[in-house]
Amino acid sequence: MNIYDIAKLAGVSIATVSRVVNDSPLVSEKTKAKVRKVMEENNYTPNVFARGLGLGTMKTIGIVCPDVADAYMAQGVAFIERNLRESGYDCILQCSGKNPEDAKAAVTNILNKKIDALFLIGSFYMFNGDNDPNTDYIREAAKNVPVFLINGYVEGQNIYGALCDDKAAVEQAVNLLISEGRKHILFLYNTDSHSSRLKREGYIEALNAAGLPVDENLFFFARPGIEDVKRDLLMTCPKEVDGIFATNDRLAAGALKYARETGISVPEDLSIIGYDNSEIAISCEPELTSVDSMCETLCRINIDSLLGLLHGSVPDAKTYTKGILVRRASTKL
Amino acid sequence: MNIYDIAKLAGVSIATVSRVVNDSPLVSEKTKAKVRKVMEENNYTPNVFARGLGLGTMKTIGIVCPDVADAYMAQGVAFIERNLRESGYDCILQCSGKNPEDAKAAVTNILNKKIDALFLIGSFYMFNGDNDPNTDYIREAAKNVPVFLINGYVEGQNIYGALCDDKAAVEQAVNLLISEGRKHILFLYNTDSHSSRLKREGYIEALNAAGLPVDENLFFFARPGIEDVKRDLLMTCPKEVDGIFATNDRLAAGALKYARETGISVPEDLSIIGYDNSEIAISCEPELTSVDSMCETLCRINIDSLLGLLHGSVPDAKTYTKGILVRRASTKL
DNA sequence: CTGAAAGCGCTAACAC
DNA sequence: GTGTTAGCGCTTTCAG
């Protein structure tokens, strides 16, 4: 059932049918009604490919993220999907994994789908930062469609970022530990992403500001996975540690397991702070103090202005959030 | 830059360019090389809309799920996306929410995108079961494209389901509680989905088999959210309860919080079992015994046979998994 | 207000 | 092996 069939059945030309489909004001209400009736009776829907070919767009947006199975990213994907769908956009999702080459390939691939905008979820895509030449692929992509980085930013035309000031957020978190009197604070991490580096900077800054020494031995790289983290800490966690800042809740949960296994009580003898404010943080016992970044970031995204962009106007290139420290029982309240 | 431009630059016809793009054996290696060179120099990629219009497909599959932000579903989405992408399919994702009308609308909408197959994630889409007339929308959809239900099944041509035998899995779980000597086992739930009903059946079956009474007061409906569950239980949990089966880990985590708040020790005085075997289960203290269903279900999906379907052959209509009971410290080991 | 007709860029018969 | 050409189904001038 195509536009010709409808035209024939309704006794009008295809041009008129097309106009009705697009609700053009140039058609009399009478013919509109007539044509609509025929369309409904045959439950006709226009062919999206033909439409796409003519208009150059199918009203889809592309979302690329390292892995939707990760709660943090899923949250971002869900947010974008929900909001853009409300405005009639469909979403093509692509999980790229965490290899830079794969990231570039994913972007190239999804651009071929002639999407109307590209969303990259997570700081991973900015690699080593705003001006890392490796992020040229983003600038390249932005020549075709507006690119929105969720929790990321790179310099360039037609590129927009909404992100959490990870450095400041971590400073805040580590300051809390320091204010509790912690002297040997472990920095627990498991990736070398840009975001991870910012967190490290925040950690160092806070120590410096408090006049505490920055001890190389207090940077602890652990394998991912709660159980793994526990084991890694059991093996080599310096005994003097009395505070832990973890770059995500999973790591923090592992630290908690470690503490329990060794009989260290939290928060009395050891304070622990996580990051992401995920369900893990609330499941733990004691519950984890954690930094909420994604949720905060998403709240600040002005969807209207993004849509404005898709329709002509321009949003702020860079939206910053501070990240909120949610205090719970894993630190002294 | 379109096929005409490339043809002109390469000094061949558009048919030849098309053949090269599709790697037809009917072109000499020489011209292939020549054309490829021009394509690369101009980094030409064929227009997917035009292609779709001609072929009637753009090699995309549709995934509909209630909410990707839910870890359980995200796991399913990630699995489908990854595997189908390996075979060159792109994924259109749509989160439908948990309203039946919205579910139908989502399916209708995504079908308009002329996807090559539809995946529905979660038992929600089967409403009250295989033969619920409300699931006609699935049979309707299946007239256009093969429909795959992940953790669901409805009767019908061109419909394929992979699912966990929730009833058997819960029986197994409740049997464990009974074998520990628990006499007053709470059934903790928060939805009335089909899957939830199956779990309830499994619970009842296990009690019956053990000659234990089925007590109406032991069916406990809680609000979602760990904190909410705790509060709800604090208000009205029957005092004699010595075992809890929860239909998901979030609820189980809430039960654990409740136990801690009231000084009930787990698993000594109260055993708790969750469902989904999520990260929550491992974050809890003590860690939750839980049923792994999705992961098991996904493992059983024979992607090759699904792809076979997309290319002609036919997979099993229904693939059953048992669900694995992963025992941890929230029950006596 | 409505219709005729020219694309949009590609695939696949069909010729050569 | 390669080229010609007729669609695929829709949008959009341009006439009327």
Side-chain angles (χ1 to χ4, degrees):
Chain A
M1 186 65 51
N2 62 29
I3 199 170
Y4 292 95
D5 300 322
I6 300 296
K8 197 166 295 170
L9 288 171
V12 297
S13 73
I14 60 163
T16 299
V17 176
S18 175
R19 290 195 187 99
V20 173
V21 165
N22 296 293
D23 202 26
S24 156
L26 299 171
V27 187
S28 72
E29 283 305 324
K30 206 175 197 170
T31 33
K32 259 188 191 171
K34 184 173 62 180
V35 174
R36 286 218 179 94
K37 184 147 172 287
V38 177
M39 294 201 299
E40 273 165 27
E41 282 169 1
N42 299 274
N43 52 67
Y44 162 76
T45 41
N47 180 305
V48 284
F49 299 148
R51 204 144 198 259
L53 182 56
L55 296 174
T57 164
M58 248 174 70
K59 283 202 88 167
T60 53
I61 62 118
I63 305 180
V64 177
C65 79
D67 178 15
V68 252
D70 184 295
Y72 176 76
M73 281 140 202
Q75 204 183 339
V77 172
F79 178 86
I80 303 296
E81 199 276 338
R82 176 161 24 92
N83 285 285
L84 276 287
R85 180 163 307 288
E86 279 172 10
S87 302
Y89 290 89
D90 284 291
C91 299
I92 298 183
L93 174 68
Q94 178 152 6
C95 302
S96 70
K98 286 218 166 191
N99 174 306
E101 288 316 311
D102 293 342
K104 294 177 187 176
V107 168
T108 307
N109 175 71
I110 209 162
L111 283 178
N112 278 339
K113 258 65 207 180
K114 299 224 177 291
I115 50 179
D116 295 303
L118 175 61
F119 288 80
L120 303 178
I121 316 283
S123 70
F124 162 67
Y125 297 101
M126 63 191 292
F127 300 150
N128 292 313
D130 299 22
N131 293 305
D132 181 342
N134 282 314
T135 59
D136 283 347
Y137 75 108
I138 297 183
R139 278 175 280 272
E140 202 56 41
K143 289 180 184 166
N144 300 294
V145 295
V147 179
F148 298 94
L149 303 187
I150 306 302
N151 202 25
Y153 180 71
V154 312
E155 201 71 56
Q157 275 287 311
N158 211 19
I159 303 178
Y160 307 86
L163 65 173
C164 174
D165 186 341
D166 289 321
K167 184 179 167 191
V170 173
E171 256 184 85
Q172 205 186 142
V174 175
N175 278 337
L176 173 59
L177 295 174
I178 293 171
S179 74
E180 287 181 352
R182 307 304 178 177
K183 303 285 182 207
H184 306 282
I185 301 170
L186 196 78
F187 182 83
L188 183 58
Y189 68 109
N190 75 337
T191 60
D192 283 311
S193 69
H194 181 250
S195 156
S196 180
R197 273 186 297 278
L198 288 178
K199 289 171 187 167
R200 180 187 294 248
E201 283 176 24
Y203 165 83
I204 293 173
E205 190 97 347
L207 293 187
N208 285 342
L212 287 173
V214 175
D215 180 352
E216 269 308 313
N217 294 316
L218 294 180
F219 292 95
F220 196 102
F221 182 90
R223 291 170 296 165
I226 296 177
E227 198 61 25
D228 289 336
V229 176
K230 181 182 85 177
R231 291 208 195 95
D232 290 348
L233 286 170
L234 281 171
M235 299 273 283
T236 52
C237 182
K239 291 307 160 208
E240 72 271 22
V241 166
D242 55 7
I244 295 183
F245 170 78
T247 57
N248 67 50
D249 287 341
R250 202 173 290 117
L251 292 170
L256 219 39
K257 296 287 176 188
Y258 153 78
R260 175 161 300 260
E261 188 121 342
T262 47
I264 299 171
S265 50
V266 177
E268 293 74 12
D269 304 331
L270 176 68
S271 265
I272 300 178
I273 296 183
Y275 209 95
D276 288 349
N277 195 32
S278 63
E279 279 190 310
I280 291 178
I282 331 176
S283 305
C284 286
E285 193 56 51
E287 296 182 12
L288 284 175
T289 289
S290 185
V291 175
D292 190 323
S293 64
M294 178 59 92
C295 179
E296 271 303 300
T297 304
L298 294 176
C299 293
R300 297 301 169 82
I301 296 177
N302 189 334
I303 287 287
D304 290 337
S305 77
L306 296 195
L307 287 173
L309 178 65
L310 297 182
H311 300 121
S313 76
V314 177
D316 293 334
K318 197 170 183 176
T319 311
Y320 249 118
T321 332
K322 280 214 35 175
I324 288 188
L325 186 61
V326 182
R327 295 170 73 160
R328 300 204 185 85
S330 71
T331 50
K332 295 175 189 165
L333 294 174
Chain B
M1 186 63 53
N2 62 28
I3 199 169
Y4 292 95
D5 300 321
I6 300 297
K8 197 167 294 169
L9 289 172
V12 298
S13 73
I14 60 161
T16 299
V17 176
S18 176
R19 289 191 188 104
V20 173
V21 165
N22 296 294
D23 202 24
S24 155
L26 299 171
V27 187
S28 73
E29 283 307 322
K30 207 173 194 171
T31 33
K32 259 188 191 171
K34 183 174 60 181
V35 174
R36 285 217 180 94
K37 184 148 173 287
V38 177
M39 296 199 301
E40 273 165 29
E41 282 169 4
N42 298 276
N43 53 67
Y44 162 77
T45 42
N47 181 306
V48 285
F49 299 148
R51 205 146 199 260
L53 182 55
L55 297 176
T57 164
M58 246 174 73
K59 282 203 85 168
T60 53
I61 61 118
I63 305 180
V64 177
C65 78
D67 179 16
V68 251
D70 183 295
Y72 176 75
M73 281 138 203
Q75 203 182 341
V77 172
F79 178 86
I80 304 296
E81 199 274 341
R82 178 161 22 93
N83 285 285
L84 275 287
R85 180 163 307 288
E86 281 173 9
S87 302
Y89 290 89
D90 283 291
C91 298
I92 298 184
L93 174 68
Q94 179 152 3
C95 302
S96 68
K98 286 218 168 192
N99 175 307
E101 289 316 310
D102 293 341
K104 294 176 188 177
V107 168
T108 308
N109 175 70
I110 208 164
L111 282 179
N112 279 340
K113 258 66 206 177
K114 299 225 178 290
I115 50 179
D116 295 303
L118 175 61
F119 288 81
L120 303 177
I121 315 284
S123 69
F124 162 67
Y125 297 100
M126 62 190 293
F127 299 151
N128 291 313
D130 299 20
N131 293 306
D132 181 342
N134 283 314
T135 58
D136 283 347
Y137 74 108
I138 296 182
R139 278 175 280 274
E140 203 56 42
K143 289 179 184 165
N144 300 295
V145 294
V147 179
F148 298 94
L149 304 187
I150 305 303
N151 202 26
Y153 180 71
V154 312
E155 201 71 54
Q157 276 287 313
N158 212 19
I159 303 178
Y160 307 87
L163 66 173
C164 174
D165 185 342
D166 288 322
K167 183 177 168 193
V170 174
E171 256 185 85
Q172 206 186 142
V174 175
N175 278 336
L176 173 60
L177 295 174
I178 294 171
S179 74
E180 286 180 353
R182 307 303 178 179
K183 302 285 183 206
H184 306 280
I185 302 169
L186 195 79
F187 182 83
L188 183 58
Y189 67 110
N190 76 336
T191 60
D192 283 310
S193 68
H194 181 248
S195 154
S196 181
R197 274 186 296 278
L198 288 178
K199 289 171 187 166
R200 179 187 293 249
E201 283 176 24
Y203 165 83
I204 293 173
E205 189 95 351
L207 293 186
N208 285 342
L212 288 172
V214 175
D215 180 352
E216 269 310 312
N217 295 317
L218 294 180
F219 291 95
F220 196 101
F221 182 91
R223 292 170 295 164
I226 296 176
E227 199 60 25
D228 289 336
V229 176
K230 181 182 86 178
R231 291 207 196 94
D232 290 347
L233 286 171
L234 281 170
M235 300 272 284
T236 53
C237 182
K239 290 307 161 208
E240 71 273 21
V241 165
D242 55 6
I244 296 182
F245 169 78
T247 58
N248 67 49
D249 287 339
R250 202 174 290 118
L251 293 170
L256 219 40
K257 297 284 178 191
Y258 152 77
R260 173 162 301 259
E261 189 121 342
T262 48
I264 299 172
S265 50
V266 177
E268 292 75 11
D269 304 330
L270 175 67
S271 265
I272 300 178
I273 296 183
Y275 209 94
D276 288 349
N277 195 33
S278 64
E279 278 189 313
I280 290 179
I282 331 177
S283 303
C284 287
E285 192 59 48
E287 297 183 12
L288 284 175
T289 289
S290 185
V291 175
D292 189 325
S293 64
M294 178 58 94
C295 179
E296 272 302 301
T297 305
L298 294 177
C299 293
R300 296 301 169 82
I301 297 177
N302 189 334
I303 288 287
D304 290 335
S305 77
L306 297 194
L307 287 173
L309 179 64
L310 297 182
H311 299 120
S313 74
V314 177
D316 293 336
K318 197 171 183 175
T319 311
Y320 249 120
T321 331
K322 281 213 34 175
I324 287 186
L325 185 62
V326 182
R327 296 170 72 161
R328 299 203 186 85
S330 70
T331 51
K332 296 176 187 163
L333 295 174

